[in-house]
Amino acid sequence: MPANKVLQPVLKLKVDELFQCWLSETPTQLLLKDYLRRIKNGENVLPENFDDSGDASRMQSANKMLDSLSLSPVTCSPPSRSPSALPIGAFSSPRSGLTPRTYRSSGSRLVQPKREEPRTPTISQHIPKFYFPKGCPKANINVDSIISKIEKTFSTLPNERASLEDMVKVAKACECPLYWKAPLFYAAGGDRTRYVSVHKFVAMWRKVLQTCHDDAVKFVQLLAKPGCAYLEQEDLIPFLQDVVNTHPHLTFLREASEFHSRYITTVVQRIFYIVNRSWSGRITCAELRKSNFLQHVALLEEEDINQSTDYFSYEHFYVIYCKFWELDADHDLYVDEQDLSKHNDHAISSRIIERIFSGAVTRGRKAQKEGKISYADFVWFLLSEEDKKTQTSIEYWFRCMDLDGDGVLSMYELEYFYEEQCQKMESMAIEPLPFEDCLCQMLDLVKPQSDGKITLHDLKKCKQANLFFDTFINLDKYLDHEQKDPFSVLRVGENEGQELSDWEKYAAEEYAILVAEEAATEQWNDGYDAELNTLETDIANDKSYAMDKRAFLDLASEESQADIEEYDYEDDFE
């Protein structure tokens, strides 16, 4: 590249500096003022001997004008200026002794790059704040008014102290839902002293109001461990234990204390199943804000707990736990592969069950040990198995089928799971569809963006992921889909937001069956007891028989107590 083109930007930079230096000289300023005066008075600005007849005379006049600027012995150092003015280069300083005229002959010197002057702030530097990790502050909130209501509520309590039972009034004064009372109580230190003083509570709640600006952040702040901005599973236990202890529709559950931990475990897993979209085991404020969980907490005060079909329903807990208890043959609260394969009359593919026990969807939980999964893991399995349309269930089964973990279901992986389905159909004297034909159907169903590769995004987008997964996972459901009218499937997809979910239908049907079975058992027991009462009346006078009966009842009582102690419930949150 020519040298002049390389130096051109640097020379232009220096010329600009020299021009500013020349413009700041005192003779230049006087000359410009004189020219401005002449222009205002209508006089001729050009010198008298200036003639435009030829280039020679024009150049001569121009040289005289330039010479007139160097008559004064003023240096090139500019007068003092404001900090916003462009600084002068080092070669025009008084030390160098060079004027702009003499500098032209000193081309051998190096050129120093110009320093950038501070720029005026642009509009982009004044963009309003739009990211609020702790919620957007509300302008109309009156913290002092809320604190005044709280202090007035505490003044009605003995010694201005509130127990957990008194927190009902305090929660209302805080303008919080009723079942925030336990988180409020424990966040103010009530777990240590069993009461909360007005001063501790006001200090705690004032800090929350000043730093947390929406319900999601407040709820996390109340329940999370110190310094944590997320909720873990054990953080929800005090809140849910209070729901068990005080909700009017769980009176029968309060009397069976051994089932409290099972109900709490079920609700915790359902919360994380729906809310924890990142599968991290930690619920963040953003995840809580996007979910409907806090709305369900607020509705606990107003409606039957069984209406909370997403989280708190006792009927759903009853169904889940009974299904688990049927599979847990030794009742140690763990099931192995053989136990889980019995679910739904061996309808689940054994290869899929192997993937579940491999840790593909259990995330290496502590409960998974010696080839077994815990009750908490079973909750995730049953929710995913009975409703394959939810976001979490699609992710659950996708992880199971993605053998190599590359985020794509390849044709090899689909064929691997379809082989077992074909073997089952042949054992049932059903001619299976060739894999090539089945594959064409699945590709038409999912319509993947990349040929021959099915991604998680493709399955979520197709809206019929349940048909896809049942083809490779659950033979009974696959055969049911094959016998249905294909147009009815489309109609169901169009109206899916107006009817019950697959899980709600399953839970309602199973609960009705379980209740009917329980009623039949009780009726049979009542009739059997009536016959025993008749027999007891006939031999009531036989003293020796009475002594044997008392001994038998005592022995039965001792055996029952031993069974309870043997199968004591473990804590899933240790």
Coordinates of all heavy atoms in Angstrom, one line a residue, residues 6 22 55 98 106 108-109 143 198-199 245 285 287 301 309 351 362 380 396 459 466 469 476 480 511 557:
V6 N -1.2 5.6 3.8 CA -1.1 5.2 5.2 C -1.0 6.4 6.1 O -1.6 6.5 7.2 CB 0.1 4.3 5.4 CG1 0.3 3.9 6.9 CG2 0.0 3.1 4.6
W22 N -3.5 27.9 15.1 CA -3.5 29.2 14.4 C -4.7 30.1 14.7 O -4.6 31.3 14.8 CB -3.4 28.9 12.8 CG -3.6 30.1 12.0 CD1 -2.7 31.1 11.7 CD2 -4.8 30.5 11.3 NE1 -3.3 32.0 10.9 CE2 -4.6 31.7 10.6 CE3 -6.1 29.9 11.2 CZ2 -5.6 32.3 9.9 CZ3 -7.0 30.5 10.5 CH2 -6.8 31.7 9.8
D55 N -3.0 34.5 -11.4 CA -2.7 33.7 -10.3 C -1.5 34.2 -9.5 O -1.4 34.1 -8.3 CB -2.4 32.3 -10.7 CG -3.7 31.6 -11.3 OD1 -4.8 32.1 -10.9 OD2 -3.6 30.7 -12.0
L98 N 8.6 25.8 18.3 CA 8.2 25.7 16.9 C 6.8 26.4 16.8 O 5.9 26.2 17.6 CB 8.1 24.2 16.5 CG 9.3 23.4 16.5 CD1 9.0 22.0 16.2 CD2 10.4 24.0 15.6
S106 N 9.5 20.5 9.6 CA 10.0 19.4 10.5 C 9.2 18.2 10.3 O 8.6 17.7 11.2 CB 10.0 19.9 11.9 OG 8.6 20.3 12.3
S108 N 10.3 15.3 9.8 CA 10.9 14.1 10.3 C 10.4 13.7 11.7 O 10.8 12.6 12.2 CB 12.4 14.3 10.4 OG 12.8 15.3 11.2
R109 N 9.7 14.6 12.4 CA 9.2 14.3 13.8 C 8.1 13.2 13.7 O 7.3 13.2 12.7 CB 8.7 15.5 14.4 CG 9.8 16.5 14.8 CD 10.6 15.9 16.0 NE 11.5 16.9 16.6 CZ 11.2 17.8 17.5 NH1 9.9 17.9 17.9 NH2 12.0 18.6 17.9
V143 N -45.5 2.5 53.3 CA -45.0 1.6 54.2 C -45.4 2.0 55.7 O -45.7 1.1 56.5 CB -43.4 1.6 54.1 CG1 -42.8 0.7 55.2 CG2 -43.0 1.1 52.7
V198 N -43.5 -7.4 68.8 CA -43.9 -6.4 67.8 C -42.7 -5.7 67.2 O -42.6 -5.4 66.0 CB -44.8 -5.3 68.4 CG1 -44.1 -4.6 69.6 CG2 -45.3 -4.3 67.4
H199 N -41.6 -5.5 68.0 CA -40.4 -4.8 67.5 C -39.7 -5.7 66.5 O -39.3 -5.2 65.4 CB -39.5 -4.5 68.7 CG -40.2 -3.6 69.7 ND1 -40.5 -2.3 69.5 CD2 -40.5 -3.9 71.0 CE1 -41.1 -1.8 70.6 NE2 -41.1 -2.8 71.5
N245 N -52.0 -28.5 59.5 CA -52.4 -28.3 60.9 C -53.7 -27.4 61.0 O -54.4 -27.5 62.0 CB -51.3 -27.7 61.7 CG -50.1 -28.7 61.9 OD1 -50.3 -29.9 61.7 ND2 -49.0 -28.1 62.2
C285 N -37.1 -16.6 42.0 CA -38.2 -15.7 42.0 C -38.9 -15.6 40.7 O -40.1 -15.4 40.6 CB -37.7 -14.3 42.5 SG -37.1 -14.2 44.2
E287 N -39.1 -17.9 38.4 CA -40.0 -19.1 38.1 C -41.3 -19.0 38.9 O -42.3 -19.4 38.4 CB -39.2 -20.4 38.5 CG -38.1 -20.7 37.5 CD -37.3 -21.9 38.0 OE1 -37.2 -22.2 39.2 OE2 -36.7 -22.6 37.1
E301 N -57.7 -20.1 51.3 CA -58.6 -19.5 52.3 C -60.0 -19.6 51.9 O -60.9 -19.6 52.8 CB -58.1 -18.1 52.6 CG -58.9 -17.4 53.7 CD -58.5 -15.9 53.8 OE1 -57.5 -15.5 53.1 OE2 -59.1 -15.3 54.7
T309 N -56.2 -28.5 42.1 CA -55.8 -29.7 41.5 C -54.4 -29.7 41.0 O -53.8 -30.8 40.7 CB -56.7 -30.0 40.3 OG1 -56.7 -28.9 39.4 CG2 -58.2 -30.3 40.7
R351 N -37.6 -51.2 28.8 CA -36.5 -50.4 28.5 C -36.6 -48.9 29.0 O -35.6 -48.3 29.4 CB -36.3 -50.4 26.9 CG -35.9 -51.8 26.4 CD -35.7 -51.8 24.9 NE -35.3 -53.1 24.4 CZ -35.0 -53.4 23.2 NH1 -35.1 -52.5 22.2 NH2 -34.7 -54.6 22.9
T362 N -34.1 -38.6 37.5 CA -34.0 -38.5 39.0 C -33.0 -37.5 39.4 O -32.9 -37.2 40.6 CB -33.8 -39.8 39.6 OG1 -32.6 -40.4 39.1 CG2 -35.0 -40.7 39.4
W380 N -43.2 -37.9 40.4 CA -42.8 -37.4 39.1 C -43.2 -38.4 38.0 O -43.7 -38.0 36.9 CB -41.3 -37.1 39.1 CG -41.0 -35.8 39.8 CD1 -41.1 -35.5 41.1 CD2 -40.4 -34.6 39.1 NE1 -40.7 -34.2 41.3 CE2 -40.2 -33.7 40.2 CE3 -40.0 -34.3 37.9 CZ2 -39.7 -32.4 39.9 CZ3 -39.5 -33.1 37.6 CH2 -39.3 -32.1 38.6
Y396 N -39.6 -34.9 30.6 CA -39.3 -36.2 31.4 C -39.1 -37.3 30.4 O -38.1 -38.0 30.5 CB -40.5 -36.5 32.3 CG -40.3 -37.6 33.3 CD1 -39.9 -37.4 34.6 CD2 -40.6 -38.9 32.9 CE1 -39.8 -38.5 35.5 CE2 -40.5 -40.0 33.8 CZ -40.1 -39.8 35.1 OH -39.9 -40.8 35.9
L459 N -41.2 -31.5 19.7 CA -42.3 -32.2 20.5 C -43.2 -31.2 21.2 O -44.5 -31.4 21.2 CB -41.7 -33.2 21.4 CG -41.0 -34.4 20.8 CD1 -40.2 -35.2 21.8 CD2 -42.1 -35.3 20.1
N466 N -48.2 -36.6 23.4 CA -48.7 -37.8 24.1 C -48.9 -39.0 23.1 O -48.5 -40.1 23.5 CB -50.0 -37.6 24.8 CG -51.1 -37.1 23.8 OD1 -50.9 -36.3 22.9 ND2 -52.3 -37.6 24.0
F469 N -45.2 -40.3 22.4 CA -44.5 -41.0 23.5 C -45.2 -42.3 23.8 O -44.5 -43.4 24.1 CB -44.5 -40.2 24.8 CG -43.5 -39.1 24.7 CD1 -43.8 -37.7 24.9 CD2 -42.1 -39.3 24.5 CE1 -42.9 -36.7 24.9 CE2 -41.2 -38.3 24.5 CZ -41.6 -37.0 24.7
D476 N -50.5 -50.2 26.0 CA -52.0 -50.1 26.1 C -52.5 -48.8 25.6 O -53.5 -48.8 24.8 CB -52.4 -50.3 27.6 CG -52.1 -51.7 28.1 OD1 -51.9 -52.6 27.2 OD2 -52.2 -51.9 29.3
D480 N -54.9 -48.0 22.3 CA -56.1 -47.2 22.4 C -56.1 -46.0 21.4 O -57.2 -45.7 20.8 CB -56.2 -46.6 23.8 CG -56.5 -47.7 24.8 OD1 -57.0 -48.7 24.4 OD2 -56.3 -47.4 26.0
Y511 N -59.8 -42.1 42.0 CA -60.3 -41.8 43.4 C -61.7 -42.4 43.6 O -62.0 -42.9 44.7 CB -60.3 -40.3 43.6 CG -60.8 -39.9 45.0 CD1 -59.9 -40.0 46.1 CD2 -62.0 -39.4 45.2 CE1 -60.3 -39.7 47.3 CE2 -62.4 -39.0 46.5 CZ -61.5 -39.2 47.6 OH -61.9 -38.8 48.8
S557 N -53.1 -56.6 69.4 CA -52.7 -55.2 69.6 C -51.2 -55.1 69.6 O -50.6 -54.2 69.0 CB -53.3 -54.7 70.9 OG -52.8 -53.4 71.1

